């Protein structure tokens, strides 16, 4: 099994004459202890086109030192990476390569650089002798790695490079402010921050591998560098809004493709987080799939629907698969919260245990199914299709027109659809028919909100406000739908309890509370909709 550690560090330039200043007394550092030397031998793997390096990701096999093994480093923030470790083996471990699938697709990993590092380590300790950080002076030798068996022939004289550097790495869950204080002391002693983000980045530059990969053949799905397909103005958070502000003169194609790239990048970057079961990762990836599919449906004047329709179908499938686990999480938390609000004397029978067993059974199946989906051929095909779509987008004539007029019409069209569904839901008879109509209105509200978020770089503040008001409508409708789903689960739990000879009273009590909540949401909807649907809000969108 792979282990994960959070790596927070700073790097500095050095040479063979560099002397470290005395760091005792800096911040909480009370003493500096010598920890000896290490000789590390690491081979770094990537695709021939260096698609991992382009993303700031490193995969290496390292021997020597206290943490020999395979290390996969995934960027979290500047100077912060998650290092996922696996035991030594001859080939890259499947548990690590699975985390790279959304970047690698089905391309081969090959050794690209080999680094030998002679490391001298000091431990920075607090007054009790506990480690605060490690500071290492590294003498590094880099050379191109030999080509794998059956691969391309190695160069007769591989390029080499040598340098010295200093690394300061925080211990455990320490305060990053310590690294800042150490950095100021080093800078005052004449030590400069490193120009390269990592040893691998420097090795690729100094051995010429990066320039060759850029100038040579790419390794994207269609022969071009894979990283180019998803580079855009956003960072792939999957959040809507002004990520990647628009520029004067942007076309409708510029705006819509920028938004699409943000969502594709979110799917790609969240893939390893979902596999690692990180908090909220499933939800965020699901939202990205929905935003992208919604953009395809809203902006049919910009992107050819004949091309995006089958992609949207696959995105809907992926969202549904992600939703199995996400919906379980949300529903379980809702039911647990409801139980917590029930007085102890009204909790008849083992209701907490019944809910826990019900949730765990669903989680085991949902988690296994989701991982099977991410490892399956259908998901891989979808990823390839998304890369290809952004490399050669199916733009329609309206994509060349000024963005404001095109995107405003799309948002208002979605609004009219929302208005029709909301009016129909408010007029529907109480019961299942109204529940279904309100759920349809909720989906229309979400689509309208996403369309407005995508349009924000072109329409500015009015689009932001419009999305915010539409979100309020969506939230009221969402609360109602969550209550519908919760009541179905409570009926199932009550039935299971009854079959086991347990009291179903408590689940019935919660069912009644959910009914009351849904009725409250239905009463609130007309006023929320009236405020969101004022004519002046729509008029503000028109360029």
């Amino acid at each position: 099994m792979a282990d994960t550690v959070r790596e927070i560090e700073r790097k500095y330039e050095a040479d063979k004459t560099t002397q470290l200043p005395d760091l005792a007394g800096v911040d909480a550092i009370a003493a500096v202890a010598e920890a000896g030397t290490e000789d590390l031998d690491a081979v770094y793997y990537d695709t021939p086109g260096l698609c991992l390096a382009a993303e700031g990701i490193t995969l290496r096999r390292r021997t020597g030192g206290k943490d020999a093994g395979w290390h996969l480093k995934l960027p979290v923030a500047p100077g912060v990476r998650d290092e996922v470790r696996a035991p030594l083996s001859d080939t890259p471990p499947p548990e690590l390569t699975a985390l790279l699938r959304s970047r690698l697709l089905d391309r081969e990993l090959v050794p690209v650089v080999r680094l030998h590092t002679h490391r001298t380590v000091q431990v920075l300790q607090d007054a009790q002798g506990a480690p605060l950080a490690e500071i290492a002076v590294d003498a590094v030798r880099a050379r191109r790695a030999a080509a794998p068996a059956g691969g391309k022939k190695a160069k007769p004289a591989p390029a080499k490079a040598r340098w010295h550097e200093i690394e300061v790495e925080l211990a455990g869950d320490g305060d990053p402010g310590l690294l800042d204080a150490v950095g100021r002391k080093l800078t005052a002693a004449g030590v400069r921050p490193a120009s390269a983000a990592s040893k691998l980045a420097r090795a690729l530059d100094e051995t010429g591998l990066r320039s060759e990969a850029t100038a040579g053949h790419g390794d994207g799905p269609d022969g071009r560098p894979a990283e180019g397909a998803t580079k855009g103005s956003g960072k792939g958070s999957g959040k809507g809004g002004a990520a990647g502000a628009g520029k004067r003169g942007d076309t409708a194609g510029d705006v819509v493709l920028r938004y699409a790239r943000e969502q594709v990048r979110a799917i790609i970057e969240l893939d390893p987080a979902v596999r690692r079961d990180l908090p909220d990762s499933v939800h965020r990836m699901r939202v990205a799939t929905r935003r992208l599919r919604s953009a395809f449906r809203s902006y049919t004047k910009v992107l050819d629907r004949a091309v995006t329709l089958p992609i949207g179908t696959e995105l809907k499938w992926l969202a549904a698969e992600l939703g199995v686990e996400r919906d379980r999480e949300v529903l379980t938390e809702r039911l647990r919260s409801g139980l917590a609000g029930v007085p102890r004397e009204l909790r008849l029978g083992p209701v907490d245990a019944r809910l826990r067993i019900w949730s765990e059974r669903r989680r085991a199946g949902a988690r296994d199914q989701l991982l099977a989906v991410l490892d399956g051929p259908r998901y891989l095909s979808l990823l390839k299709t998304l890369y290809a779509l952004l490399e050669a987008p199916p733009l329609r004539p309206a994509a060349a027109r000024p963005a404001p007029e095109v995107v405003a019409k799309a948002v208002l069209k979605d609004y009219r659809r929302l208005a029709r569904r909301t009016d129909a839901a408010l007029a529907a008879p109480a019961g299942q028919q109204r529940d279904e109509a309100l759920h349809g209105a909720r989906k229309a509200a979400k689509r309208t909100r996403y369309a407005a978020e995508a349009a924000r770089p072109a329409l500015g503040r009015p689009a932001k406000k419009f999305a915010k008001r539409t979100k309020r409508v969506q939230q009221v409708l969402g609360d109602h739908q969550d209550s519908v789903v919760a009541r179905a689960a409570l009926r199932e739990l009550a039935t299971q309890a009854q079959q086991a000879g347990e009291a179903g009273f408590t689940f019935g009590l919660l069912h009644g509370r959910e009914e009351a909540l849904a009725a409250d949401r239905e009463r609130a909807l007309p006023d929320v909709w009236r405020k969101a649907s004022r004519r002046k809000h729509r008029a503000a969108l028109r360029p």
Side-chain angles (χ1 to χ4, degrees), residues 98 114 129 151 155 191 298 303 317 377 414 427 437 473 491 493 513:
R114 186 169 188 173
K155 290 182 173 295
V191 177
S298 296
L303 297 174
W317 159 76
D414 281 345
V473 176
R491 289 193 294 271
L493 283 162
R513 290 184 176 183

Side-chain angles (χ1 to χ4, degrees), residues 293 296 305 307-317 382:
R293 178 170 174 255
F296 290 163
R305 186 69 172 147
V307 176
T308 62
L309 180 59
I311 303 174
T313 299
E314 292 303 281
L315 289 169
K316 183 179 181 180
W317 159 76
L382 173 58

